[in-house]
Amino acid sequence: LFGRKVFDATYYFSKLNDIWGWATWQRAWTHYDVHMKTFPQFKAQGQIKNYFDDKEMQEWLLSYFEQDYNAGERSGLWSSQWSYAMCVQNGLTIVPSINLVENIGLTGEATHSKDTYACYDNVPRHEIKEIIHPLFVLPDAEADKLRFEIIKKSDPRLVFATRNRLRKLAERYLPSAAQEFMKRLIKVWDN
């Protein structure tokens, strides 16, 4: 969190997962479903609000899930599929209160990430000398909000959340001819 929050413990619990320097337990990984088979029911029932209170976080994560589910076999976005598994199981991640990894792939000829994730470049790596456990196994909502502010500055797929928000507004307020135009525009945007 770039020093934006002070923690009493060495780590905190979060509803947001990371893709750098992460690990999991086998018992948790059994919930991973590359096809996200239950997603249509999850979406139709509005279950995302049972995981995140924050509307913007709901839209962001739902856009990830929707994009991945609609891509089907072409997706390859294991991180979205893993986030979905966590979400439907009401899972939490353990996040160290200091940075423990060094992102060596963000310089030079980095693939898919050089400019997008520049805010993570040159973040100093630290070591934990003594583990101090949190008192409660509950997500730190304040830390998640701070992390989401960082995510909003670096995540290229937030454009899909914005696109979905625009589509919903168009469906609600625009006449049908304008809605058709917006659908064609979004289709071009997606390609």
Side-chain angles (χ1 to χ4, degrees), residues 66 163-172 186:
E66 193 167 346
R163 181 204 62 194
N164 289 342
R165 212 173 8 254
L166 288 173
R167 187 184 75 231
K168 287 177 185 174
L169 286 171
E171 288 171 356
R172 188 171 185 182
I186 288 171

Side-chain angles (χ1 to χ4, degrees), residues 41-67:
Q41 296 91 338
F42 178 85
K43 183 180 174 189
Q45 294 174 13
Q47 292 292 339
I48 191 73
K49 61 184 172 247
N50 289 322
Y51 193 64
F52 280 116
D53 292 333
D54 184 277
K55 188 114 173 113
E56 192 176 16
M57 284 184 180
Q58 291 173 17
E59 290 175 2
W60 164 70
L61 202 54
L62 201 56
S63 73
Y64 261 55
F65 298 159
E66 193 167 346
Q67 179 191 10

Side-chain angles (χ1 to χ4, degrees), residues 44-106:
Q45 294 174 13
Q47 292 292 339
I48 191 73
K49 61 184 172 247
N50 289 322
Y51 193 64
F52 280 116
D53 292 333
D54 184 277
K55 188 114 173 113
E56 192 176 16
M57 284 184 180
Q58 291 173 17
E59 290 175 2
W60 164 70
L61 202 54
L62 201 56
S63 73
Y64 261 55
F65 298 159
E66 193 167 346
Q67 179 191 10
D68 190 75
Y69 181 80
N70 291 335
E73 296 295 325
R74 300 167 295 145
S75 167
L77 299 173
W78 67 268
S79 60
S80 297
Q81 298 155 1
W82 179 236
S83 290
Y84 180 72
M86 284 180 44
C87 186
V88 299
Q89 293 297 315
N90 201 26
L92 297 174
T93 61
I94 297 170
V95 182
S97 57
I98 56 174
N99 183 47
L100 301 175
V101 299
E102 185 175 355
N103 292 304
I104 60 173
L106 294 179

Side-chain angles (χ1 to χ4, degrees), residues 4-187:
R4 293 170 61 197
K5 179 174 168 125
V6 176
F7 296 90
D8 295 328
T10 312
Y11 61 92
Y12 63 95
F13 293 97
S14 173
K15 291 183 177 185
L16 302 171
N17 74 310
D18 288 307
I19 58 168
W20 287 316
W22 74 281
T24 191
W25 289 265
Q26 183 177 351
R27 65 177 166 73
W29 191 253
T30 61
H31 298 290
Y32 176 81
D33 175 15
V34 68
H35 301 291
M36 298 170 51
K37 291 183 216 69
T38 60
F39 178 69
Q41 296 91 338
F42 178 85
K43 183 180 174 189
Q45 294 174 13
Q47 292 292 339
I48 191 73
K49 61 184 172 247
N50 289 322
Y51 193 64
F52 280 116
D53 292 333
D54 184 277
K55 188 114 173 113
E56 192 176 16
M57 284 184 180
Q58 291 173 17
E59 290 175 2
W60 164 70
L61 202 54
L62 201 56
S63 73
Y64 261 55
F65 298 159
E66 193 167 346
Q67 179 191 10
D68 190 75
Y69 181 80
N70 291 335
E73 296 295 325
R74 300 167 295 145
S75 167
L77 299 173
W78 67 268
S79 60
S80 297
Q81 298 155 1
W82 179 236
S83 290
Y84 180 72
M86 284 180 44
C87 186
V88 299
Q89 293 297 315
N90 201 26
L92 297 174
T93 61
I94 297 170
V95 182
S97 57
I98 56 174
N99 183 47
L100 301 175
V101 299
E102 185 175 355
N103 292 304
I104 60 173
L106 294 179
T107 58
E109 299 297 318
T111 306
H112 307 301
S113 60
K114 184 178 179 195
D115 297 326
T116 305
Y117 299 107
C119 67
Y120 298 107
D121 202 4
N122 299 317
V123 176
R125 180 178 52 87
H126 303 280
E127 290 187 28
I128 295 176
K129 305 284 188 225
E130 174 189 2
I131 295 178
I132 303 167
H133 301 286
L135 291 176
F136 308 104
V137 181
L138 294 169
D140 187 323
E142 180 186 358
D144 277 356
K145 284 183 181 180
L146 290 170
R147 285 182 67 211
F148 188 61
E149 291 302 315
I150 295 166
I151 289 168
K152 288 194 298 189
K153 294 176 183 173
S154 65
D155 189 336
R157 295 197 293 171
L158 275 169
V159 72
F160 292 102
T162 303
R163 181 204 62 194
N164 289 342
R165 212 173 8 254
L166 288 173
R167 187 184 75 231
K168 287 177 185 174
L169 286 171
E171 288 171 356
R172 188 171 185 182
Y173 296 109
L174 293 178
S176 59
Q179 287 181 29
E180 288 304 314
F181 173 76
M182 286 293 292
K183 285 179 186 174
R184 288 194 307 273
L185 185 64
I186 288 171
K187 194 175 233 180

